[in-house]
Amino acid sequence: MRRFHIFARRIVLAGAILSLLLVGYAYLKKRPQDLPWTRLDLSQPVGMFTGRKIAALGQSPDQCRALLDRAGVAYTAIPPTGSGQCRYGDAVRLKGDKDAVAWSPASVAPSCPVVAALKLWEWHVVQPAAQRHLGQPVGAISHFGSFSCRRLYGRSEGDFSEHATADAIDIAAFTLEDGRRISVVNDWTGADKDAAAFLRSVRDGACGLFSTVLSPDYNSAHRDHLHFDQADRGAFGWRACR
Protein backbone atom coordinates (compact mmCIF):
# COMPACT_ATOMS: atom_id res chain seq x y z
CA MET A 1 0.00 0.00 0.00
CA ARG A 2 2.84 2.39 0.87
CA ARG A 3 4.40 1.80 -2.55
CA PHE A 4 1.08 2.57 -4.17
CA HIS A 5 0.83 5.91 -2.35
CA ILE A 6 4.39 6.81 -3.36
CA PHE A 7 3.61 5.93 -6.96
CA ALA A 8 0.39 7.98 -6.88
CA ARG A 9 2.19 11.00 -5.45
CA ARG A 10 4.80 10.76 -8.19
CA ILE A 11 2.09 10.67 -10.86
CA VAL A 12 0.41 13.75 -9.38
CA LEU A 13 3.76 15.56 -9.15
CA ALA A 14 4.62 14.68 -12.74
CA GLY A 15 1.23 15.96 -13.88
CA ALA A 16 1.73 19.22 -12.00
CA ILE A 17 5.19 19.72 -13.48
CA LEU A 18 3.88 19.01 -16.99
CA SER A 19 1.07 21.54 -16.51
CA LEU A 20 3.53 24.19 -15.36
CA LEU A 21 5.76 23.50 -18.34
CA LEU A 22 2.81 23.86 -20.71
CA VAL A 23 1.75 27.12 -19.08
CA GLY A 24 5.31 28.46 -19.29
CA TYR A 25 5.64 27.47 -22.93
CA ALA A 26 2.28 29.00 -23.88
CA TYR A 27 3.09 32.22 -22.01
CA LEU A 28 6.54 32.64 -23.54
CA LYS A 29 5.37 31.81 -27.05
CA LYS A 30 2.05 33.69 -26.62
CA ARG A 31 0.22 30.59 -27.81
CA PRO A 32 -2.78 29.91 -25.54
CA GLN A 33 -4.00 27.36 -28.10
CA ASP A 34 -1.21 25.04 -26.91
CA LEU A 35 -2.93 24.57 -23.53
CA PRO A 36 -5.50 21.78 -23.13
CA TRP A 37 -7.91 23.84 -21.01
CA THR A 38 -8.18 27.04 -23.07
CA ARG A 39 -11.25 27.61 -25.24
CA LEU A 40 -11.03 26.66 -28.89
CA ASP A 41 -10.90 29.62 -31.26
CA LEU A 42 -10.89 28.95 -35.00
CA SER A 43 -9.27 32.34 -35.62
CA GLN A 44 -6.10 31.15 -33.86
CA PRO A 45 -3.30 29.10 -35.45
CA VAL A 46 -3.30 25.35 -34.85
CA GLY A 47 -2.04 24.40 -31.39
CA MET A 48 -0.93 21.19 -29.71
CA PHE A 49 -4.45 20.43 -28.43
CA THR A 50 -6.51 21.91 -31.28
CA GLY A 51 -7.37 18.52 -32.79
CA ARG A 52 -8.51 17.06 -29.48
CA LYS A 53 -10.67 20.11 -28.74
CA ILE A 54 -12.30 19.85 -32.16
CA ALA A 55 -13.02 16.12 -31.71
CA ALA A 56 -14.68 16.85 -28.36
CA LEU A 57 -17.15 19.16 -30.13
CA GLY A 58 -19.03 16.04 -31.19
CA GLN A 59 -20.67 16.22 -27.76
CA SER A 60 -21.63 19.91 -28.24
CA PRO A 61 -23.20 20.56 -31.67
CA ASP A 62 -24.43 24.04 -30.71
CA GLN A 63 -20.97 25.04 -29.52
CA CYS A 64 -19.42 23.72 -32.72
CA ARG A 65 -21.80 25.70 -34.95
CA ALA A 66 -21.18 28.80 -32.83
CA LEU A 67 -17.44 28.43 -33.51
CA LEU A 68 -18.14 28.28 -37.25
CA ASP A 69 -20.33 31.38 -36.95
CA ARG A 70 -17.65 33.36 -35.12
CA ALA A 71 -15.07 32.34 -37.72
CA GLY A 72 -17.33 33.57 -40.54
CA VAL A 73 -17.81 30.14 -42.08
CA ALA A 74 -20.95 29.97 -44.26
CA TYR A 75 -22.85 26.70 -43.88
CA THR A 76 -26.26 25.05 -43.76
CA ALA A 77 -27.17 22.84 -40.79
CA ILE A 78 -28.56 19.46 -41.87
CA PRO A 79 -31.51 17.89 -39.96
CA PRO A 80 -30.74 14.69 -37.99
CA THR A 81 -30.70 11.67 -40.27
CA GLY A 82 -30.63 7.87 -39.89
CA SER A 83 -31.08 5.55 -36.93
CA GLY A 84 -29.15 3.16 -34.71
CA GLN A 85 -25.44 2.93 -35.50
CA CYS A 86 -25.94 4.91 -38.70
CA ARG A 87 -27.17 8.25 -37.48
CA TYR A 88 -25.90 11.80 -37.34
CA GLY A 89 -27.37 14.89 -35.76
CA ASP A 90 -24.77 17.62 -36.27
CA ALA A 91 -23.91 17.55 -39.98
CA VAL A 92 -23.34 20.80 -41.86
CA ARG A 93 -22.95 21.60 -45.54
CA LEU A 94 -20.51 24.33 -46.51
CA LYS A 95 -21.96 27.08 -48.70
CA GLY A 96 -20.15 28.34 -51.75
CA ASP A 97 -17.82 31.24 -51.00
CA LYS A 98 -15.61 32.96 -53.57
CA ASP A 99 -12.77 33.15 -51.05
CA ALA A 100 -12.99 29.51 -49.95
CA VAL A 101 -11.99 26.22 -51.50
CA ALA A 102 -14.84 24.57 -53.41
CA TRP A 103 -15.86 21.00 -52.57
CA SER A 104 -16.64 18.45 -55.24
CA PRO A 105 -19.29 17.12 -54.96
CA ALA A 106 -20.61 20.23 -53.18
CA SER A 107 -23.43 18.30 -51.48
CA VAL A 108 -21.15 16.68 -48.89
CA ALA A 109 -22.28 17.27 -45.30
CA PRO A 110 -19.82 15.96 -42.67
CA SER A 111 -20.31 16.38 -38.94
CA CYS A 112 -19.61 19.85 -37.59
CA PRO A 113 -16.29 18.83 -35.93
CA VAL A 114 -15.04 17.49 -39.26
CA VAL A 115 -16.01 20.72 -41.00
CA ALA A 116 -14.30 22.84 -38.31
CA ALA A 117 -11.10 20.85 -38.82
CA LEU A 118 -11.42 21.04 -42.61
CA LYS A 119 -11.59 24.83 -42.51
CA LEU A 120 -8.48 25.08 -40.32
CA TRP A 121 -6.79 22.55 -42.62
CA GLU A 122 -7.69 24.67 -45.64
CA TRP A 123 -6.43 27.91 -44.06
CA HIS A 124 -3.32 26.74 -42.24
CA VAL A 125 -2.21 23.63 -44.14
CA VAL A 126 -3.55 23.22 -47.69
CA GLN A 127 -3.12 26.72 -49.07
CA PRO A 128 0.34 27.35 -47.55
CA ALA A 129 1.51 23.94 -48.80
CA ALA A 130 0.13 24.62 -52.28
CA GLN A 131 1.99 27.92 -52.49
CA ARG A 132 5.17 26.37 -51.10
CA HIS A 133 5.29 23.30 -53.33
CA LEU A 134 3.24 24.27 -56.38
CA GLY A 135 3.37 28.07 -56.53
CA GLN A 136 -0.39 28.63 -56.62
CA PRO A 137 -3.48 28.12 -54.46
CA VAL A 138 -5.94 25.25 -54.46
CA GLY A 139 -9.33 26.08 -55.96
CA ALA A 140 -11.23 22.87 -55.27
CA ILE A 141 -10.95 19.63 -53.33
CA SER A 142 -12.52 16.39 -54.57
CA HIS A 143 -13.68 13.74 -52.12
CA PHE A 144 -15.30 10.30 -51.97
CA GLY A 145 -17.94 11.34 -49.46
CA SER A 146 -18.56 11.53 -45.74
CA PHE A 147 -21.69 9.70 -44.54
CA SER A 148 -21.85 5.99 -45.34
CA CYS A 149 -23.74 3.42 -43.28
CA ARG A 150 -21.12 0.69 -43.09
CA ARG A 151 -18.69 -1.11 -40.86
CA LEU A 152 -14.91 -0.72 -41.07
CA TYR A 153 -13.63 -1.72 -44.53
CA GLY A 154 -17.18 -2.71 -45.53
CA ARG A 155 -17.09 -5.88 -43.43
CA SER A 156 -20.28 -7.71 -42.46
CA GLU A 157 -19.44 -7.57 -38.75
CA GLY A 158 -17.25 -5.62 -36.33
CA ASP A 159 -17.03 -1.96 -35.42
CA PHE A 160 -18.82 0.64 -37.47
CA SER A 161 -16.80 3.15 -39.44
CA GLU A 162 -16.73 6.82 -38.42
CA HIS A 163 -18.39 7.34 -41.80
CA ALA A 164 -21.55 5.82 -40.30
CA THR A 165 -22.01 8.98 -38.24
CA ALA A 166 -20.59 11.43 -40.83
CA ASP A 167 -17.55 11.89 -38.60
CA ALA A 168 -15.16 11.19 -41.48
CA ILE A 169 -14.35 12.29 -45.00
CA ASP A 170 -12.14 10.79 -47.73
CA ILE A 171 -10.06 13.26 -49.75
CA ALA A 172 -9.25 12.19 -53.33
CA ALA A 173 -7.73 15.13 -55.21
CA PHE A 174 -6.95 18.84 -55.37
CA THR A 175 -7.57 21.15 -58.32
CA LEU A 176 -5.20 24.12 -58.52
CA GLU A 177 -6.13 27.63 -59.59
CA ASP A 178 -4.87 26.99 -63.13
CA GLY A 179 -6.96 23.81 -63.43
CA ARG A 180 -4.18 21.31 -62.79
CA ARG A 181 -5.34 18.28 -60.81
CA ILE A 182 -3.24 16.61 -58.09
CA SER A 183 -4.69 13.25 -57.07
CA VAL A 184 -3.71 10.82 -54.34
CA VAL A 185 -3.95 7.80 -56.63
CA ASN A 186 -1.73 9.25 -59.37
CA ASP A 187 0.65 11.57 -57.55
CA TRP A 188 1.41 10.02 -54.16
CA THR A 189 4.22 8.01 -55.77
CA GLY A 190 4.20 9.70 -59.17
CA ALA A 191 7.04 11.27 -61.09
CA ASP A 192 6.15 14.81 -60.05
CA LYS A 193 8.12 15.28 -56.83
CA ASP A 194 6.49 18.64 -56.05
CA ALA A 195 3.02 17.11 -56.24
CA ALA A 196 4.08 14.20 -54.05
CA ALA A 197 5.62 16.58 -51.51
CA PHE A 198 2.43 18.64 -51.48
CA LEU A 199 0.28 15.57 -50.76
CA ARG A 200 2.52 14.53 -47.88
CA SER A 201 2.47 18.04 -46.47
CA VAL A 202 -1.32 18.17 -46.40
CA ARG A 203 -1.41 14.68 -44.88
CA ASP A 204 1.09 15.61 -42.16
CA GLY A 205 -0.66 18.90 -41.42
CA ALA A 206 -3.99 17.14 -41.00
CA CYS A 207 -2.56 15.06 -38.17
CA GLY A 208 -2.78 18.01 -35.79
CA LEU A 209 -6.45 18.54 -36.61
CA PHE A 210 -8.06 15.12 -36.98
CA SER A 211 -8.20 12.13 -34.63
CA THR A 212 -7.33 9.75 -37.46
CA VAL A 213 -5.41 10.42 -40.66
CA LEU A 214 -4.76 7.49 -43.00
CA SER A 215 -2.98 7.64 -46.36
CA PRO A 216 -1.49 5.28 -48.97
CA ASP A 217 1.40 4.80 -46.53
CA TYR A 218 -1.02 2.95 -44.24
CA ASN A 219 -2.40 0.23 -46.53
CA SER A 220 -3.67 -0.47 -50.04
CA ALA A 221 -7.26 0.31 -49.05
CA HIS A 222 -6.18 3.96 -48.87
CA ARG A 223 -4.15 4.02 -52.07
CA ASP A 224 -6.49 6.56 -53.68
CA HIS A 225 -7.51 8.82 -50.79
CA LEU A 226 -6.68 10.43 -47.46
CA HIS A 227 -9.06 9.35 -44.71
CA PHE A 228 -9.75 11.97 -42.01
CA ASP A 229 -12.02 11.37 -39.04
CA GLN A 230 -12.90 12.92 -35.71
CA ALA A 231 -13.32 9.92 -33.44
CA ASP A 232 -13.61 11.27 -29.89
CA ARG A 233 -11.10 9.28 -27.84
CA GLY A 234 -10.86 11.72 -24.96
CA ALA A 235 -8.43 14.49 -24.04
CA PHE A 236 -5.46 12.12 -23.91
CA GLY A 237 -6.67 9.23 -26.06
CA TRP A 238 -4.63 7.72 -28.87
CA ARG A 239 -4.49 9.38 -32.29
CA ALA A 240 -3.49 7.87 -35.61
CA CYS A 241 -1.35 9.48 -38.31
CA ARG A 242 -0.18 7.12 -41.01
Side-chain angles (χ1 to χ4, degrees), residues 136-232:
Q136 59 180 305
V138 167
I141 298 176
S142 301
H143 61 87
F144 291 149
S146 176
F147 177 70
S148 177
C149 183
R150 60 179 173 83
R151 299 176 190 272
L152 289 171
Y153 296 103
R155 296 167 181 156
S156 59
E157 56 184 22
D159 294 337
F160 274 82
S161 166
E162 294 297 324
H163 284 284
T165 51
D167 282 314
I169 189 168
D170 292 336
I171 306 298
F174 303 81
T175 301
L176 303 180
E177 189 175 55
D178 67 358
R180 179 184 172 195
R181 181 179 170 87
I182 308 295
S183 70
V184 176
V185 68
N186 290 324
D187 295 300
W188 189 264
T189 55
D192 189 327
K193 301 304 181 184
D194 290 332
F198 165 73
L199 290 174
R200 282 163 176 76
S201 290
V202 298
R203 185 271 311 271
D204 294 346
C207 295
L209 293 165
F210 294 91
S211 298
T212 309
V213 175
L214 302 176
S215 71
D217 285 347
Y218 179 55
N219 62 17
S220 60
H222 296 84
R223 68 180 184 83
D224 59 355
H225 69 276
L226 304 175
H227 168 91
F228 300 159
D229 75 47
Q230 286 296 21
D232 186 1

Side-chain angles (χ1 to χ4, degrees), residues 21-235:
L21 289 173
L22 283 171
V23 170
Y25 172 82
Y27 175 77
L28 291 173
K29 295 292 186 179
K30 300 187 184 303
R31 288 177 57 88
Q33 66 270 29
D34 285 334
L35 296 174
W37 52 79
T38 54
R39 292 183 61 184
L40 180 63
D41 184 347
L42 298 185
S43 69
Q44 295 294 318
V46 178
M48 288 189 290
F49 290 88
T50 298
R52 295 179 186 277
K53 292 175 184 177
I54 293 176
L57 292 173
Q59 306 299 320
S60 306
D62 291 341
Q63 181 184 351
C64 183
R65 290 192 290 271
L67 283 169
L68 295 182
D69 291 336
R70 287 196 292 273
V73 177
Y75 66 90
T76 300
I78 305 300
T81 301
S83 62
Q85 296 282 356
C86 294
R87 184 182 188 280
Y88 59 84
D90 65 342
V92 299
R93 178 177 296 125
L94 289 168
K95 292 182 179 179
D97 187 325
K98 65 182 181 64
D99 296 323
V101 166
W103 287 88
S104 179
S107 59
V108 67
S111 69
C112 185
V114 170
V115 169
L118 285 173
K119 293 306 295 184
L120 287 178
W121 183 61
E122 172 192 336
W123 298 333
H124 297 290
V125 178
V126 173
Q127 296 296 25
Q131 291 288 359
R132 186 167 64 252
H133 295 293
L134 306 168
Q136 59 180 305
V138 167
I141 298 176
S142 301
H143 61 87
F144 291 149
S146 176
F147 177 70
S148 177
C149 183
R150 60 179 173 83
R151 299 176 190 272
L152 289 171
Y153 296 103
R155 296 167 181 156
S156 59
E157 56 184 22
D159 294 337
F160 274 82
S161 166
E162 294 297 324
H163 284 284
T165 51
D167 282 314
I169 189 168
D170 292 336
I171 306 298
F174 303 81
T175 301
L176 303 180
E177 189 175 55
D178 67 358
R180 179 184 172 195
R181 181 179 170 87
I182 308 295
S183 70
V184 176
V185 68
N186 290 324
D187 295 300
W188 189 264
T189 55
D192 189 327
K193 301 304 181 184
D194 290 332
F198 165 73
L199 290 174
R200 282 163 176 76
S201 290
V202 298
R203 185 271 311 271
D204 294 346
C207 295
L209 293 165
F210 294 91
S211 298
T212 309
V213 175
L214 302 176
S215 71
D217 285 347
Y218 179 55
N219 62 17
S220 60
H222 296 84
R223 68 180 184 83
D224 59 355
H225 69 276
L226 304 175
H227 168 91
F228 300 159
D229 75 47
Q230 286 296 21
D232 186 1
R233 305 187 184 106

